[in-house]
């Protein structure tokens, strides 16, 4: 598909140069030549945009050639339904090493501040394997697993930044 747009762009570009020479030789007084030059210029812009969009490649439907790939993501290995006491193996990929907090919360937008379980991890740049033993009491339902980067402030305080999450279910 990309080669087709490139060929169109080259052919229209040569035609545009020819019409531009025609306008130049007529000292800009030939209305027909100017009209063709505008039309070919529009076709060139369209072909250029098609060539640009055809060259976009990304790992998923949300990434275009203008958007960077998200630097961090997490996924749970195996199943997505767990019971209290199960061990979840979570793979967390990041470009930034440091201290991270893993927080499990209900997947309910009504109470965003509620936390079911929380623990801290030291992560390295790359893929980190985190084993989390589920201990959420008698909670059952949809939950969400957050990885939150902990950043040290200049005054020594800790700030939470950059939440990465993945949903799962607790039975």
């Amino acid at each position: 598909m990309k080669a087709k747009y490139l060929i169109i762009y080259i052919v229209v570009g040569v035609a545009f140069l020819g019409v531009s020479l025609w306008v130049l030789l007529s000292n800009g007084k030939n209305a027909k030549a100017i009209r063709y030059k505008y039309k070919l210029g529009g076709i060139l812009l369209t072909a250029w945009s098609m060539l640009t969009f055809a060259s976009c490649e990304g790992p998923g439907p949300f990434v275009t050639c203008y958007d960077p790939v998200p630097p961090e993501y997490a996924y749970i290995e195996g199943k997505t339904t767990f019971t209290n006491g199960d061990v979840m193996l979570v793979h967390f990929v990041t470009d930034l090493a440091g201290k991270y907090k893993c927080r499990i919360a209900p997947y309910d937008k009504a109470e965003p501040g509620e936390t079911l379980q929380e623990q801290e991890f030291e992560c390295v740049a790359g893929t980190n394997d985190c084993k989390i033993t589920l201990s959420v009491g008698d909670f059952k339902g949809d939950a969400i697993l957050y990885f939150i980067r902990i950043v040290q402030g200049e005054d020594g305080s800790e700030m939470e930044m950059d939440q990465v999450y993945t949903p799962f279910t607790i039975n």
Side-chain angles (χ1 to χ4, degrees):
M1 187 92 123
K2 189 165 53 168
K4 181 171 109 177
Y5 292 129
L6 184 61
I7 291 169
I8 292 171
Y9 189 71
I10 290 170
V11 169
V12 174
V14 170
F16 182 79
L17 287 175
V19 171
S20 295
L21 183 63
W22 183 15
V23 171
L24 183 67
L25 293 176
S26 69
N27 289 328
K29 295 183 181 183
N30 189 335
K32 192 174 187 178
I34 292 173
R35 193 170 34 251
Y36 281 127
K37 185 176 177 183
Y38 279 124
K39 286 181 182 182
L40 287 172
I43 292 171
L44 271 176
L45 290 174
T46 302
W48 182 257
S49 65
M50 292 298 184
L51 185 63
T52 302
F53 285 122
S55 67
C56 291
E57 295 176 11
F62 305 110
V63 179
T64 68
C65 59
Y66 299 107
D67 298 329
V69 176
E72 299 178 331
Y73 61 92
Y75 61 94
I76 301 170
E77 185 175 291
K79 58 186 181 176
T80 57
T81 303
F82 298 90
T83 58
N84 209 11
D86 283 352
V87 176
M88 297 176 14
L89 179 59
V90 181
H91 301 288
F92 177 59
V93 179
T94 181
D95 290 338
L96 303 170
K99 187 165 42 169
Y100 283 81
K101 196 180 279 186
C102 170
R103 181 179 295 152
I104 297 174
Y107 195 76
D108 183 11
K109 298 193 185 334
E111 300 176 34
E114 186 178 351
T115 299
L116 298 172
Q117 182 178 344
E118 188 172 270
Q119 67 189 78
E120 290 187 3
F121 290 99
E122 282 293 324
C123 293
V124 297
T127 303
N128 298 274
D129 296 330
C130 307
K131 289 184 179 179
I132 302 166
T133 303
L134 204 58
S135 175
V136 293
D138 59 351
F139 178 82
K140 292 185 188 320
D142 292 332
I144 193 158
L145 173 67
Y146 292 101
F147 277 91
I148 305 157
R149 186 164 55 104
I150 307 297
V151 178
Q152 290 280 341
E154 291 180 10
D155 59 352
S157 64
E158 292 184 341
M159 298 182 297
E160 296 182 353
M161 300 180 71
D162 300 337
Q163 293 187 358
V164 177
Y165 61 90
T166 185
F168 68 100
T169 305
I170 301 171
N171 283 336

